[in-house]
Amino acid sequence: MKLFVYGTLRMGDSRAFFLEDDNESVFINTIKTAPNYKLVNLGSFPALVEGGSQSVVGELWEITDFVKKGLDTIEGVPYLYMDKEIELEDGTKAIAYVMQDKGYPIIESGDWFDL
C-alpha cells in the first residue's frame, strides 16, 4: 500500500527510522497533496487536516500491511490520528494519518521542514 508521510516519519526526522531501516518499505518520491488540506503545528509534530486549501509536502512510501499495523500503534490510530485515503497532487491516492481540526496553528508553508 502507498503511505504519504509529512512529519516526523519523513527522512531526516525523529521517526524516519521506522521506514528507512525497514527492508520492506520502499521510498517512492517526494510529493505534495492536492490543495485540499492544511498542515497544523502541534508543537513537536504536525498533523494533516482535511478541508483546507494547502498542498502539503511529504514523501510517498510503499509499505506492507505489517509495517502499517506497527505505524498505526506508534501514531496513535484511532485515538490521535485516523488513517484515511487522501488525494495527491498528481491525482493518485494514498493513505495518510489525518487529524480532526482542533484549531492548532497552521504551518503556512505546508512543509514541516519549513516552519
Side-chain angles (χ1 to χ4, degrees):
M1 83 181 61
K2 289 185 175 42
L3 178 70
F4 175 80
V5 297
Y6 52 84
T8 59
L9 289 171
R10 282 173 64 187
M11 290 185 284
D13 212 323
S14 62
R15 292 184 173 184
F17 67 91
F18 285 110
L19 294 170
E20 291 176 330
D21 296 348
D22 174 31
N23 293 330
E24 298 179 23
S25 300
V26 177
F27 172 74
I28 298 171
N29 63 354
T30 300
I31 194 166
K32 293 181 181 180
T33 66
N36 305 328
Y37 306 94
K38 58 184 169 181
L39 190 64
V40 297
N41 190 344
L42 280 70
S44 56
F45 57 93
L48 183 69
V49 175
E50 294 179 296
S53 58
Q54 285 183 309
S55 291
V56 175
V57 177
E59 298 168 356
L60 191 61
W61 288 80
E62 182 71 37
I63 63 169
T64 64
D65 288 339
F66 179 77
V67 170
K68 177 69 169 62
K69 287 178 185 175
L71 291 175
D72 285 354
T73 300
I74 293 160
E75 294 294 312
V77 173
Y79 306 106
L80 182 59
Y81 290 100
M82 300 168 286
D83 54 346
K84 296 190 82 171
E85 186 176 74
I86 63 158
E87 183 180 358
L88 301 173
E89 66 182 344
D90 64 2
T92 62
K93 307 282 186 183
I95 300 298
Y97 293 111
V98 178
M99 183 180 282
Q100 290 184 332
D101 193 352
K102 297 182 180 177
Y104 291 107
I106 295 173
I107 298 171
E108 295 296 335
S109 68
D111 187 345
W112 174 239
F113 290 172
D114 185 21
L115 293 176

